[in-house]
Amino acid sequence: MGFHIVLAVFLIRLSCKYTEAQQAFLSIDCGGCKNFTDANVISWFSDNSISGIAGNASKVTPPAYVGNSPSPLSCIRFFPGGQSKYCYMFDLNHYGLTQGKAFLIRASFWAGSHLPYPTRFKNSVSFKFVINADEWEEVSIEFPQTGKEVNKEMYLITSRDNIEVCLSGSSNDSDIPFISSLVLRELADDLLPISLTISLSAGRPLTTVKRTNFGVYTEAFVGAGDIRYSSNITCPSFIFLTSV
């Protein structure tokens, strides 16, 4: 079952709000071999420490803006097996997730010049991203990647005591999926995207279609690791989503 757009795009220009994370503040380096702290003093831990994670790890050359700093964009995890999907599970026992809480989920994808496996079409990869059995979005990337990684972002209010973040497997008529990093942040209910989804869409998820940096006069990029919560310098445009 997939998501369908049910409301027009919102552009939030002046009222983006900084908020402290409550309990779940997770930064996962997918395919990384060790834990580290990045240049923004954010602690990343390798998904090697998560039980039940399948797939293979591979090192990649990170985007130029990263420089010599440690980054989750220095490696990927890919899933060449025959399963229909591969999932990261966040639950009450391990991460303190409870029903009715608001979260930001951000997934990042960067493989650089090419992938370490063949794809259906030369110089491109395509697969679906799924949350709680509902299709979030299709990830389509052309190679070589230049400039910055692909980011997918969603604001979600939990309907149960866990969140299941999955990539579709190649058995689902897609390429072998990969991922670079996965971020989970618990958010306050009065944060603007959360109050919008509560008041206007009965708690249906919001997906970010674009982030615009209003704090500079150039097209300077704010990397995924720089946005710790939903910061006061980058304001996202949204669409409401619902499952059928």
Side-chain angles (χ1 to χ4, degrees), residues 87-101:
C87 301
Y88 291 82
M89 175 70 77
F90 306 102
D91 59 17
L92 173 64
N93 294 333
H94 295 95
Y95 302 103
L97 267 69
T98 55
Q99 183 177 348
K101 295 292 185 180

Side-chain angles (χ1 to χ4, degrees), residues 21-26 90 95-97 103-104 184-187:
Q22 303 300 309
Q23 182 175 6
F25 189 104
L26 304 173
F90 306 102
Y95 302 103
L97 267 69
F103 292 91
L104 167 67
L184 185 73
R185 303 285 189 261
E186 184 176 342
L187 302 175

Side-chain angles (χ1 to χ4, degrees), residues 27 36-44 69-72 224-226 228:
S27 303
F36 67 92
T37 300
D38 69 12
N40 300 298
V41 200
I42 296 177
S43 296
W44 294 84
S69 301
S71 169
D226 301 334
R228 299 183 184 217

